[in-house]
Amino acid sequence: MLLLRVAARVEFASLLVLLANLATVHIAAIATLAGPLHGCAYLLVIGATVAATPRGRPRLLSVVPGVGGLLAERSMRAVQA
């Protein structure tokens, strides 16, 4: 669960960095660094969710780019409570 929590936040933060860079100055070096970071975090979110849940809603939510990890984490907490 900790892995999912960290990866979800990294995925969201890297998406914000990419979008802010695109909307403002569009520095290629930022896109070069943040793009692969976002992609790796996205894949890690999906893998961590699949490993932590047998099936269900969190797995479907995890594939939403950008905010899927945060949604899956919230859904997993709701199921555990």
Side-chain angles (χ1 to χ4, degrees), residues 44-60:
L44 192 58
V45 162
I46 293 171
T49 305
V50 168
T53 59
R55 66 174 104 129
R57 186 175 180 178
R59 280 187 172 193
L60 294 174

Side-chain angles (χ1 to χ4, degrees), residues 10-11 14 18 28-44:
V10 169
E11 177 192 12
S14 63
L18 285 168
I30 293 175
T32 301
L33 293 173
L37 177 66
H38 175 71
C40 289
Y42 177 62
L43 293 176
L44 192 58

Side-chain angles (χ1 to χ4, degrees), residues 1 5 7 14 20 27 30 33 50-51 61 63 80:
M1 186 77 168
R5 186 175 304 141
S14 63
I27 299 172
I30 293 175
L33 293 173
V50 168
L61 290 173
V63 298
Q80 289 177 354

